[in-house]
Structures are given as C-alpha cells and as structure tokens.
Amino acid sequence: MNHADLASCLQSNRITRRQVLWMLGASALSGCATSPVGGGSILVGMSEDEEKAVDQKVAPQQFSQDLGAVQDEAINQYLSDVGRRLDAKVHRPQMPYSYRVLNANYVNAYTFPGGAMGVTRGILVDLDDEAELAALLGHELGHVNARHAAQRQGQAMVTQAAMTGVNIIGTAAGFGGLTDLGTQLGASVLLSSYSRDNEREADALGQEYMVRAGYPASGMVGLQQLLVEQQKESPGMLQTMFSTHPMSSERRDSAKQLAESKYATSNKRDAGRERFMDNTASLRRIKPTIDACQKGEVAMAAKEYGKAEERFRTALKATPHDYAANVLMAKCLSEQDKDAQALEYAQTATRVYPQEAQAHKLVGVLALGQKDPGMAFEHLDRYDRQLPGDAGVTFLKGISLEGMGKRPEAAKQYAAYLQRTQQGKAAEYSISRLKSWGYLK
C-alpha cells in the first residue's frame, strides 16, 4: 500500500474498499506453587494476582467479541445465583467469580484464570435442567481451581492473549477474509488446548462441586451426553466447544461411574428442571433465532454467503431486534460487497444495544468504506470509550480524523498508536504521516 496514495484518498474522501481492507489488516497486531486442589506441587507461570489481572484486562474484550451479555437482567441474575451456589463450595472461594450469558450462538462456556465466566446462549438453550447448568459451571470452576491456565502457559501466554485481545480489529470475516476471532479469541489463546488430563480433572472437580452445592451428580452425565450427541449431529456448530474442551464418550462414562458410585445418594435430589425452565423461558422463546444464527455462522465459515444470508434473514424475521442477528447480517453482507446494506444492519445493532462495543466498531469500519469518516470516528470513539486500550481502534480513529481534515487530532492518534507499537504496516503509515506533517524528523 502506497502511503501517499492513501493520504491523497483521505484528503479527497475517495477511500477505496481495498484501502479499507488494508487498514483492517494493518491494525491487527498480531514457577512452582502448591495446587489448591490436591496440595501437591504444580508449575505455574502466574501468581494469583496476575490471574485476576488477566481477567480484568482481557475478559471484557473477549466477552464483547462474543457480542456481550444478553440484554436480560433476570437471566444473567439467575446464572449468577447458580454460580454463587457453586463457588461457595470450591477450593479457591476467594477468587472474584463472575457470570454472564453471552449473545454468542456457538455452543460453549469458558472461564478466564481469575474466574470471569461466560456461557453462550447457544448452549444454555440446549440444557435440560439446573443440574446440567451446574455441571457446566462446575466444570469451568474446576479449571480455575486447578489453575490449569496458570500451569499451562504462564506469563508468555498472558502477554500473547493481552496483545491479541487489545489489538484485534477485524471483528468480521466479511472484511477481506480476515479471520473472525469473535468466537475464537478466548478459546484459541487463553482457553484452548486443555489436555485430556485437565479436562478429566475439571470434570471430576465440577461434579464434586455440584454435589457439594446440593445438586444430583447425574447432571454431569446429562451434560456430557448432550455434548456427545450434538458432536455427532452438528459438528460444525460445536467446533469451538470441542477445540477448547476435547469431548469423548469416555468422559461421559467416567461421570456416570462416579454418579452411580461415589455420589449415588445425590441422585435422589431435585435436578431443578422447573426452576430452570422458568428462568430461561425468555431465551428459549428465541431458540429458532439462535438455531438460524448457528446455521448461518456455519455457512459463513464455509464461505456459503448466500446461504448464510438466508439463515440470518430467517433469524431477523423471527426477531428483528436481535443484536447478534443484526451484527451477523452486517458481516455477511459486507463479505458480499454489500457494504451500504451492511451498514444499515450494523447501525440497527448499535440502536438495539448501544452499550455493547462490537457494533460500534463495525459501523466505524463500514462507514470508512462508505466514505463517511465523521460517522466512522463517532462510532470508533464510542467503542474506545466502552473498551479502551485497543491500539487498532486508535489507528483507525487517526484514519477517520485524517479523512475529516483534522490533521492535529489525527496526529495525536497516530502518535498514541506508535506508543503501543512501532512494528507493522499501521505503524509505518503513522510514522509517514507524522513525518510529512512535521511532527517527526
């Protein structure tokens, strides 16, 4: 990319789609302790304070990539209530556990090292009762309490995850084939590649915690059976779940053996089906929307964009103001070079859920492509206020301001970007502009 050409296009407000794609690509940067569970010695790369710090820095980015917590206070409160019932019984009750249901449609749940947990709406609508939900949360609590993330990669992993979480700009596969990390960031960087031994330990701990909390151990068997069946029926929809949590019938059988032996007396307890159904009714009512979005995302991954668009239209016909469906439709249309239409859906998403950051970033990027740097800056700035620290957004704010003819303000953004990194194409462009404007020699 010729820096002078881009600068000229910004001045004349004639930025091309190719240049938008370039900007997106340029701004995407790429010890021993005692086990709190068993008491033995484990090798960890993070202190407990560092585990908490990772959650504070990276978890908000990932939860936003997964389109934020659902806009239903009651269901988030219900999840938190079940979580608190469990985390009172764990080995590390001092950790700052938190729970939210995410707008993501894929089937998964994940927890950061300090206990910040997300459960996707895609898995919640497939559970049968509160005991299965307790098993799901218990498994994730098992990872935190056994310090699996800290053991696995330590500080090097934390650094990589923080950089990725802060700096990723390509939120949509629709932008020049950039990978959609919205549903994979936490999985691929912080939460992936748990060993089978890690998974077995998390299963065993989760089953122990749920029994301690008053649930029947059979809930873990039901959860594992559900996942085994879904893996066979719809593997594409479960790809992320099984990349982060390797599944096998052996894990189900182990849970069943424990439920029938060690925890046999617990199985007389109420599984909480009626309570679960009552508290998740609002989400289960839009299950057809969630299913359509799942199928659309699978089609998107296969680059079957026409089929994906059809699925998202089905979802939006059923639930016109669904935040996730509007964001996904915007991404799908952008992939098909229908950026003007894509922008309309992205703007709808910002109106539906103004407090969630991803749609603002999406509007910002699409507005640049539609030669509206003023709109781009407005939404990128809103993203920046909601999720501060994203270097890629800082760079794009500079691009927007330059397109608006606001050279001093753009220079500040480019300088701020260079304080974060001086490597890569975005840094090269920033340096070239600051030099040409006399801010650098």
Side-chain angles (χ1 to χ4, degrees):
M1 172 64 63
N2 185 293
H3 296 164
D5 287 348
L6 176 56
S8 175
C9 287
L10 287 170
Q11 290 173 8
S12 60
N13 200 21
R14 293 180 180 176
I15 188 170
T16 67
R17 180 176 176 81
R18 180 184 177 194
Q19 288 166 332
V20 171
L21 299 180
W22 176 85
M23 288 185 289
L24 284 166
S27 61
L29 305 179
S30 17
C32 288
T34 299
S35 169
V37 172
S41 180
I42 56 175
L43 181 64
V44 297
M46 284 184 279
S47 68
E48 187 171 287
D49 285 344
E50 287 169 334
E51 287 176 302
K52 295 175 183 176
V54 169
D55 283 31
Q56 292 174 358
K57 187 169 187 178
V58 183
Q61 302 281 343
Q62 177 58 37
F63 294 145
S64 181
Q65 291 282 344
D66 278 330
L67 304 180
V70 297
Q71 294 168 279
D72 187 330
E73 184 177 348
I75 198 165
N76 281 299
Q77 185 61 53
Y78 172 63
L79 185 73
S80 296
D81 289 345
V82 176
R84 280 195 291 270
R85 182 173 167 181
L86 287 161
D87 63 41
K89 306 296 182 181
V90 300
H91 291 86
R92 304 172 75 194
Q94 76 279 10
M95 298 301 283
Y97 300 105
S98 62
Y99 305 85
R100 73 276 299 142
V101 181
L102 299 167
N103 275 307
N105 301 292
Y106 71 105
V107 176
N108 206 0
Y110 56 85
T111 312
F112 286 90
M117 188 183 303
V119 175
T120 68
R121 66 182 192 173
I123 193 168
L124 193 59
V125 295
D126 283 336
L127 300 177
D128 283 334
D129 53 46
E130 191 171 294
E132 290 186 359
L133 175 59
L136 181 67
L137 302 186
H139 174 92
E140 297 305 323
L141 289 167
H143 283 304
V144 176
N145 281 267
R147 304 192 72 189
H148 287 153
Q151 289 182 61
R152 191 174 67 252
Q153 295 185 40
Q155 192 60 46
M157 175 272 292
V158 175
T159 301
Q160 178 191 4
M163 285 297 293
T164 306
V166 169
N167 295 320
I168 280 184
I169 186 65
T171 59
F175 297 137
L178 292 176
T179 301
D180 184 351
L181 292 168
T183 58
Q184 297 179 26
L185 170 60
S188 64
V189 180
L190 265 171
L191 311 168
S192 65
S193 303
Y194 281 131
S195 69
R196 293 198 177 273
D197 285 343
N198 286 162
E199 292 296 340
R200 292 187 189 100
E201 185 173 25
D203 285 346
L205 288 168
Q207 202 163 17
E208 177 183 344
Y209 295 154
M210 65 183 296
V211 170
R212 286 184 186 180
Y215 292 101
S218 56
M220 181 65 78
V221 183
L223 172 67
Q224 302 277 6
Q225 180 61 35
L226 168 70
L227 295 174
V228 168
E229 290 173 356
Q230 290 199 0
Q231 185 181 29
K232 293 177 181 176
E233 294 171 7
S234 307
M237 295 182 193
L238 299 168
Q239 185 174 3
T240 304
M241 178 69 175
F242 295 111
S243 68
T244 59
H245 300 284
M247 196 67 211
S248 69
S249 56
E250 178 238 341
R251 288 176 55 195
R252 175 203 58 202
D253 294 343
S254 294
K256 184 177 181 182
Q257 192 275 327
L258 283 170
E260 293 175 349
S261 56
K262 183 178 180 179
Y263 302 124
T265 58
S266 76
N267 293 316
K268 298 176 183 178
R269 299 171 180 168
D270 178 19
R273 177 174 170 80
E274 184 175 351
R275 185 168 58 249
F276 177 81
M277 290 294 169
D278 287 346
N279 281 282
T280 60
S282 62
L283 201 59
R284 288 185 293 102
R285 274 196 293 271
I286 63 165
K287 191 175 189 303
T289 296
I290 296 170
D291 290 343
C293 286
Q294 285 180 340
K295 291 181 174 69
E297 290 185 85
V298 170
M300 282 275 285
K303 301 187 185 302
E304 297 174 347
Y305 302 116
K307 182 178 179 181
E309 181 179 341
E310 181 182 342
R311 299 295 190 185
F312 297 140
R313 290 198 186 282
T314 298
L316 287 165
K317 184 176 181 180
T319 318
H321 297 295
D322 185 69
Y323 177 73
N326 277 282
V327 170
L328 290 167
M329 177 62 93
K331 294 178 181 182
C332 182
L333 290 169
S334 180
E335 186 62 59
Q336 300 173 77
D337 296 340
K338 301 175 182 178
D339 285 354
Q341 294 178 52
L343 181 57
E344 292 178 9
Y345 284 98
Q347 288 177 297
T348 296
T350 65
R351 291 190 291 269
V352 167
Y353 198 169
Q355 303 88 355
E356 213 299 299
Q358 289 309 308
H360 290 295
K361 182 192 287 187
L362 191 54
V363 169
V365 171
L366 290 167
L368 278 175
Q370 292 298 296
K371 304 176 178 59
D372 191 339
M375 180 190 293
F377 179 81
E378 175 190 349
H379 286 275
L380 291 167
D381 193 52
R382 290 192 66 173
Y383 177 95
D384 206 17
R385 291 198 300 270
Q386 292 175 2
L387 280 179
D390 188 319
V393 168
T394 299
F395 173 72
L396 290 181
K397 284 171 69 176
I399 289 287
S400 302
L401 288 163
E402 185 177 351
M404 296 162 68
K406 296 184 177 182
R407 182 178 295 181
E409 293 91 336
K412 288 180 181 178
Q413 297 296 323
Y414 292 146
Y417 180 79
L418 291 171
Q419 288 178 353
R420 301 290 301 279
T421 179
Q422 296 193 15
Q423 304 294 321
K425 294 179 179 179
E428 292 174 4
Y429 182 82
S430 299
I431 291 169
S432 75
R433 302 313 292 145
L434 292 175
K435 283 183 175 179
S436 70
W437 294 339
Y439 291 98
L440 288 177
K441 293 184 179 180

